[in-house]
Amino acid sequence: MTAAIALKPRSLAAIVLVSAVGAFGFLWPLFVAPGSALAQHARDAPFLFGLLLPLLLAVVLAEVSEGGIDAKAIAMLGVLSALDAAIRPLGAGTAGIEVMFFLLVLAGRVFGAGFGFVLGATSMFASALLTAGVGPWLPFQMLGAGWVGMGAALLPRCRGWLELALLSAYGAVASLFYGWVLNMWFWPFATGGDTSISFVAGAPLGENLTRFVAFNLATSFGWDLGRAITTVTLILLTGVPVLAALRRAARKANFRPAVSFES
């Protein structure tokens, strides 16, 4: 099936650029020496927010300029983003329950990597506006959700119960990955003192990664596990009808480029 947003050279370059900037935003404390100009992460997050949003928009603009996205794809993106943003408050904040990730996985699977990436980012942004959740954490949430939606499209092709099992396993791993990645943006600055889970500026990379794993297991693993269980349960319960509905919509929308004939 043709992807709703095909990854062409410029759009792929935009996604790679967004991901590279985002990865730097997550990981730079592990590589920056103490006392450097980048010592305060809280000061850089708003600037990263201002940088990531135009880059995310550039993904869509690159598609428009290359003819890789049309009005039907934009309409589908708007509907699914609004739906995902509307259902997120149903569980967010309660024992790690997150009901939005199953739709990201299923939609990314059907409509392709480019669509999944943009859907994750726009859904999280719309949800933040809906729940007054705009803050320095938002660009990291947008990027993490974009990676989740894009990754579902990159899974091996299969159908039936095997596809459902594959998507369920991916949903579990992606839910845990999202939680751990989001922890990275604040962990170096949230744990003060000399504890076994504190970030140590200038320490070897292996030591800080060990401390980071310990921090996740001690503080947020239960929350992340709740997200994973919710995602897997919803995929198993709704995966078959939702995938069928999304694929039917994709067939009717016919996202293939228009055919022209030369005389």
Side-chain angles (χ1 to χ4, degrees), residues 6-21:
L7 285 181
K8 296 182 179 180
R10 277 181 292 185
S11 56
L12 181 60
I15 289 179
V16 170
L17 179 59
V18 172
S19 297
V21 172

Side-chain angles (χ1 to χ4, degrees), residues 6-176:
L7 285 181
K8 296 182 179 180
R10 277 181 292 185
S11 56
L12 181 60
I15 289 179
V16 170
L17 179 59
V18 172
S19 297
V21 172
F24 174 78
F26 283 115
L27 300 175
W28 67 262
L30 300 176
F31 303 98
V32 173
S36 67
L38 295 176
Q40 290 295 327
H41 183 63
R43 295 179 181 177
D44 95 286
F47 295 102
L48 183 63
F49 179 35
L51 178 62
L52 274 177
L53 287 183
L55 289 176
L56 289 169
L57 181 59
V59 176
V60 180
L61 294 180
E63 292 297 342
V64 172
S65 65
E66 287 191 304
I69 186 171
D70 58 12
K72 294 175 290 187
I74 293 176
M76 184 67 69
L77 180 65
V79 169
L80 291 178
S81 297
L83 178 60
D84 223 8
I87 65 176
R88 189 185 181 211
L90 299 179
T94 307
I97 297 174
E98 282 274 14
V99 297
M100 71 174 294
F101 283 86
F102 88 100
L103 186 57
L104 287 182
V105 172
L106 298 178
R109 175 70 171 177
V110 172
F111 295 113
F115 188 94
F117 181 84
V118 178
L119 176 64
T122 54
S123 296
M124 196 61 72
F125 182 68
S127 172
L129 295 180
L130 185 64
T131 60
V134 177
W137 54 85
L138 179 57
F140 302 97
Q141 291 178 328
M142 293 171 63
L143 189 60
W147 285 339
V148 170
M150 181 173 64
L154 302 178
L155 297 173
R157 296 288 100 186
C158 57
R159 288 297 181 93
W161 65 268
L162 185 58
E163 180 181 39
L164 203 60
L166 181 63
L167 291 176
S168 298
Y170 172 79
V173 173
S175 297
L176 295 174

Side-chain angles (χ1 to χ4, degrees), residues 185-203:
W185 87 269
F186 72 88
W187 166 67
F189 317 95
T191 53
D194 185 15
T195 70
S196 60
I197 62 174
S198 298
F199 171 76
V200 179

